[in-house]
Amino acid sequence: LQTINGCDSIITLDLIVNPIYTTSFNAVICEGESYNLNGFNESTTGTYTQTLQTINGCDSIITLDLIVNPIYTTSFNAVICEGESYNLNGFNESTTGTYTQTLQTINGCDSIITLDLIVNPIYTTSFNAVICQGETYNLNGFNENITGTYTQTLQTINGCDSIVNLNLIVNPIYTTSFNATICEGESYSLNGFNETTTGTYTQTLQTINGCDSIITLNLIVNEVNPPSSLTLEIVQSYFELSWVGYAENYIIYRGNDSIGSTTNTIYIDTNVVHGVNYCYRIKSIEGECEAESIEICKEFLGINDNINNNSNMSIILYPNPANGNTTLRTEGITKPTDVFVYDVVGRHLRTYKLEANQKELNIDLTGFAKGIYQIKVLNQTKKLIKN
């Protein structure tokens, strides 16, 4: 250069140019962290620049490419059954609850997993059931008809086992048959029956357990016919009663008093007094059953007062023995008189009417079995043999 005086002024410059530094770099942090190196304080993904000064006072431009990797928080529900374990995702749990696992992602950040675990119970149910013989218990998957303990494994609405134990009792149906005998005119009214005729009857009752109790009644009604054709005849010094009947035994009543019994159909009452009126009834006895005749009454007249007691009366049977018929020849009968036919044990079989002064009477033996019979006219009796 020139000085003020016009002379050369030579200036020599030694120049140093200091560089401006420009630096770029990448950084990775996890969500929730901050990058605070090199004057940065960043916590979100992005590109950031810092202008610093070098030692020489020049700019130093730093560019930061920051990546903030996320922390994953995952919640999920799981359901298992009692007795099982949940062992996925690092868990090993067997009771209901909330559990947390902190894992690392591929970028090295936390991965927080929250498990809400429900452990559904296995239900074990035991119950009793009662049915009747012949029925089947078919609820809850069972199909049983024999007394015993049975088990069914079902699934609950949540898919877990539901163990059902059945204690089954099968109560019997009772079938009872019995015989009963009553008398005609009575009713059998036990065990729910009300029967009056011979037959077989059934009642279906309930036992104390509610099952059928089938009762079969075999009922026999003993028919006892009352004595019929009761006659009362004066024979010398006593009354002779005769009747028709087929009972085992007979009781004789005079008035209201029982005066005797017999197995025959003839009874003689010697305890009588002339001129007294007597009334008689006969009761048939068959086992425990009985039936009574109508009452018959008559005044007892001594032998001298009996107009039919003629010492000249006689009776003859011919032929005797006989086959189909025999003839009764009489003498001395002056008023209408009954002729009675009895078998050998005294059972009355037939009655004929003999008119006053009738000399002969035909007696028909058709249908009679072979044997001995008695023909009675007033106070006389003749033996007749049927061939």
Side-chain angles (χ1 to χ4, degrees), residues 26-31 43-48 64-70 107:
N26 300 321
V28 178
I29 62 172
C30 293
E31 184 181 357
S43 58
T44 56
T45 296
T47 301
Y48 302 94
L64 167 65
D65 289 322
L66 180 63
I67 296 174
V68 180
N69 285 319
N107 296 312

Side-chain angles (χ1 to χ4, degrees), residues 139-275:
L139 300 177
N140 302 307
F142 293 99
N143 188 27
E144 310 299 338
N145 56 17
I146 301 173
T147 295
T149 299
Y150 304 92
T151 299
Q152 280 281 358
T153 301
L154 308 176
Q155 276 197 327
T156 66
I157 195 172
N158 297 313
C160 296
D161 287 344
S162 176
I163 300 172
V164 181
N165 295 317
L166 167 65
N167 298 313
L168 181 64
I169 296 175
V170 181
N171 285 320
I173 292 175
Y174 292 99
T175 302
T176 304
S177 295
F178 62 95
N179 302 322
T181 302
I182 60 173
C183 299
E184 185 178 10
E186 297 178 348
S187 294
Y188 184 88
S189 55
L190 300 177
N191 301 308
F193 293 99
N194 187 22
E195 310 301 336
T196 58
T197 56
T198 295
T200 299
Y201 304 92
T202 299
Q203 279 280 0
T204 301
L205 307 177
Q206 276 197 326
T207 65
I208 194 172
N209 296 314
C211 296
D212 288 343
S213 176
I214 301 173
I215 302 177
T216 300
L217 165 66
N218 299 311
L219 181 64
I220 296 175
V221 180
N222 285 329
E223 296 182 3
V224 179
N225 296 315
S228 61
S229 302
L230 179 62
T231 60
L232 183 60
E233 297 292 338
I234 299 172
V235 181
Q236 296 180 356
S237 61
Y238 56 85
F239 266 138
E240 180 179 279
L241 288 84
S242 62
W243 59 90
V244 176
Y246 306 96
E248 295 175 349
N249 193 25
Y250 301 95
I251 298 176
I252 292 83
Y253 289 89
R254 191 172 72 184
N256 293 322
D257 299 324
S258 171
I259 60 173
S261 64
T262 181
T263 58
N264 297 319
T265 56
I266 297 175
Y267 183 81
I268 295 174
D269 183 11
T270 59
N271 187 22
V272 289
V273 177
H274 172 75

Side-chain angles (χ1 to χ4, degrees), residues 84-118:
E84 297 176 352
S85 294
Y86 182 87
N87 50 20
L88 300 177
N89 302 307
F91 293 99
N92 186 23
E93 309 300 336
S94 59
T95 56
T96 296
T98 300
Y99 303 93
T100 301
Q101 281 282 0
T102 302
L103 307 177
Q104 276 197 329
T105 66
I106 195 171
N107 296 312
C109 295
D110 289 343
S111 176
I112 301 172
I113 302 176
T114 300
L115 167 65
D116 288 322
L117 181 63
I118 296 175

Side-chain angles (χ1 to χ4, degrees), residues 10-28:
I10 299 169
I11 303 173
T12 301
L13 171 64
D14 291 324
L15 180 63
I16 297 173
V17 180
N18 288 315
I20 294 175
Y21 293 100
T22 300
T23 305
S24 295
F25 62 93
N26 300 321
V28 178

Side-chain angles (χ1 to χ4, degrees), residues 317-327 341-342 349-350 352 362-375 384-387:
L317 289 170
Y318 69 94
N320 188 14
N323 290 318
N325 294 276
T326 189
T327 300
V341 181
Y342 299 95
L349 303 178
R350 192 171 293 172
Y352 291 93
N362 180 61
I363 297 176
D364 185 7
L365 302 178
T366 302
F368 283 28
K370 295 180 180 179
I372 299 174
Y373 297 88
Q374 298 179 68
I375 308 299
L384 172 63
I385 298 174
K386 166 73 184 299
N387 286 332

